[in-house]
Amino acid sequence: MAAIKAKAAVGKKAPDFALPAMGGREVRLSDYIGHKVVIFFYPKDMTPACTQQSCDFRDAYAEFGKQNTVVIGISNDPAERHEKFAAKYELPFELLADTEHKVCELYGVWQLKKLYGREYMGLVRSTFLIDEKGKLVREWRNLRVKGHAEEVLAAVSAQ
């Protein structure tokens, strides 16, 4: 199994997509032209690191808003699970369901992973910053959760 080559590249227009959101809606990246967009890909709702990451973005959400920035989380979990996750942790941003990992493949975050000697395809924790015109301006791949939301906020503020 080889990782799918990403179509997303810094300096280029971010690949548009449409994914199911909570409440039965569909969200498109292109809906947010005119705003900066932070997309964070995370492996699974309700797991310790993913919960911490989501709560860190929640805690910084008002500051992102002051910077005309929309925050979106994407994982392979279904929208119904996202609804429970968002309600339990009072997450104020969209969580999108990429159950077939098509958007993960577009952004190059669906990759070969190893755990205890076992290889499998999975989502690699990554974040992308897209400017108001839809251009991908920054990426963080295979990141550590601690301090990450603050680092992304600093990058947004510098734009």
Side-chain angles (χ1 to χ4, degrees), residues 80-156:
E80 300 78 30
R81 185 166 170 96
H82 285 334
E83 288 175 11
K84 292 175 186 170
F85 184 50
K88 182 173 182 175
Y89 294 101
E90 299 178 358
L91 304 177
F93 43 78
E94 295 284 1
L95 295 178
L96 306 183
D98 188 15
T99 57
E100 296 177 11
H101 50 79
K102 289 182 179 176
V103 175
C104 291
E105 290 176 15
L106 276 177
Y107 283 80
V109 301
W110 188 252
Q111 299 178 11
L112 185 65
K113 297 172 81 172
K114 287 185 180 185
L115 183 64
Y116 303 118
R118 185 178 141 254
E119 292 185 341
Y120 63 98
M121 293 300 288
L123 195 156
V124 175
R125 188 181 315 279
S126 303
T127 301
F128 298 85
L129 174 57
I130 299 163
D131 72 10
E132 295 91 340
K133 294 179 182 174
K135 183 172 77 173
L136 179 58
V137 294
R138 182 93 188 262
E139 63 183 14
W140 295 262
R141 293 182 178 272
N142 203 17
L143 56 94
R144 297 229 184 267
V145 171
K146 187 175 175 78
H148 178 63
E150 293 82 6
E151 182 181 353
V152 174
L153 183 57
V156 166

Side-chain angles (χ1 to χ4, degrees), residues 52-99:
Q52 184 63 57
Q53 181 181 20
S54 298
C55 289
D56 289 349
F57 277 109
R58 175 201 63 201
D59 295 347
Y61 185 73
E63 291 303 314
F64 281 108
K66 290 176 186 175
Q67 301 289 328
N68 189 35
T69 304
V70 174
V71 176
I72 298 172
I74 299 177
S75 83
N76 299 105
D77 290 314
E80 300 78 30
R81 185 166 170 96
H82 285 334
E83 288 175 11
K84 292 175 186 170
F85 184 50
K88 182 173 182 175
Y89 294 101
E90 299 178 358
L91 304 177
F93 43 78
E94 295 284 1
L95 295 178
L96 306 183
D98 188 15
T99 57

